[in-house]
Amino acid sequence: MNATAVRKPVHLAVYDTFADWETGHTTAHLARAGHEIRTVGPSTAPVTSIGGLRVRPDLALDDVRPEDSSLLILPGADLWDTSGDLAPFARTARAFLAAGVPVAAICGATAGLAREGLLDDRTHTSAVSFYLAATGYAGGERYVEADAVTDRGLVTAGPTEPVAFAREVLRLLGVYEGEVLDAWYRLFHDSDATAYAVLEKAGAL
């Protein structure tokens, strides 16, 4: 990525019961690379994560526009499967993708996108295939068993793959590439000490 280019913020969706562990690697390493992270809630009222963290969103969802963003991140949450409260976030994801702005969804958020029809014609993954099949979506033939998948600007991953999810986002936004990205993944996913040398040489630590 051109270091002199003006970066638009990365928008992280936050809502009650959001899975706080799923996007930590992603946002931490984006922030360390100079990306501004802005939180987006249903409103600007505080929300509480599944781990009990209280977050006051920077923006309400109605105030977020694709042209002002470089990425929308949707974490999992109990609410994706227990109510329709988060459907507006899936509709916003549709608007982002239609505008050519990438979206990254993990865990329950993939089910929300499935219900919105956004996985019908994209290769994708999630927790397990039958989890998404229960949504009644039409994209079952495009499901793959993988740690994380990127297809036409949409990243998907299951709840046990926060590092692979981050890897795909870091690749998508050009934070790390090639050998450096591989070393980053080996360090944080596999605790591979040999990756340190590659990352130190690249100034990526």
Side-chain angles (χ1 to χ4, degrees), residues 118-197:
L118 295 175
L119 305 185
D120 289 351
D121 61 353
R122 284 181 171 85
T123 303
H124 60 276
T125 194
S126 183
V128 289
S129 60
F130 57 80
Y131 170 63
L132 291 187
T135 69
Y137 83 131
E141 292 185 354
R142 304 298 299 272
Y143 185 92
V144 295
E145 295 290 347
D147 55 10
V149 174
T150 302
D151 186 7
R152 289 181 293 138
L154 176 61
V155 176
T156 52
T160 61
E161 298 293 347
V163 180
F165 181 70
R167 178 197 65 210
E168 294 301 298
V169 171
L170 296 174
R171 187 203 324 268
L172 189 65
L173 295 189
V175 175
Y176 303 134
E177 299 174 336
E179 182 185 27
V180 175
L181 182 63
D182 177 68
W184 182 90
Y185 180 75
R186 287 189 289 110
L187 177 62
F188 287 98
H189 187 266
D190 304 325
S191 300
D192 184 350
T194 67
Y196 274 106

Side-chain angles (χ1 to χ4, degrees), residues 193-202 205:
T194 67
Y196 274 106
V198 177
L199 296 173
E200 284 182 336
K201 182 179 180 180
L205 286 177

Side-chain angles (χ1 to χ4, degrees), residues 3-197:
T4 62
V6 176
R7 289 174 172 153
K8 296 178 182 179
V10 169
H11 289 95
L12 171 67
V14 293
Y15 20 71
D16 284 332
T17 75
F18 78 91
D20 37 36
W21 71 90
E22 292 177 343
T23 59
H25 285 88
T26 302
T27 55
H29 289 274
L30 287 175
R32 292 189 69 174
H35 289 269
E36 179 187 4
I37 309 297
R38 304 206 73 195
T39 52
V40 181
S43 69
T44 55
V47 298
T48 304
S49 77
I50 201 168
L53 301 181
R54 286 178 61 79
V55 177
R56 183 180 294 278
D58 296 313
L59 296 166
L61 185 62
D62 287 345
D63 296 326
V64 176
R65 302 183 305 169
E67 58 265 35
D68 297 328
S69 182
S70 61
L71 173 72
L72 174 64
I73 303 173
L74 300 174
D78 291 345
L79 288 179
W80 283 113
D81 296 319
T82 59
S83 76
D85 291 355
L86 301 186
F89 286 89
R91 291 194 291 271
T92 297
R94 176 179 290 282
F96 267 60
L97 292 169
V101 181
V103 173
I106 185 169
C107 188
T110 62
L113 298 193
R115 294 185 188 97
E116 183 64 20
L118 295 175
L119 305 185
D120 289 351
D121 61 353
R122 284 181 171 85
T123 303
H124 60 276
T125 194
S126 183
V128 289
S129 60
F130 57 80
Y131 170 63
L132 291 187
T135 69
Y137 83 131
E141 292 185 354
R142 304 298 299 272
Y143 185 92
V144 295
E145 295 290 347
D147 55 10
V149 174
T150 302
D151 186 7
R152 289 181 293 138
L154 176 61
V155 176
T156 52
T160 61
E161 298 293 347
V163 180
F165 181 70
R167 178 197 65 210
E168 294 301 298
V169 171
L170 296 174
R171 187 203 324 268
L172 189 65
L173 295 189
V175 175
Y176 303 134
E177 299 174 336
E179 182 185 27
V180 175
L181 182 63
D182 177 68
W184 182 90
Y185 180 75
R186 287 189 289 110
L187 177 62
F188 287 98
H189 187 266
D190 304 325
S191 300
D192 184 350
T194 67
Y196 274 106

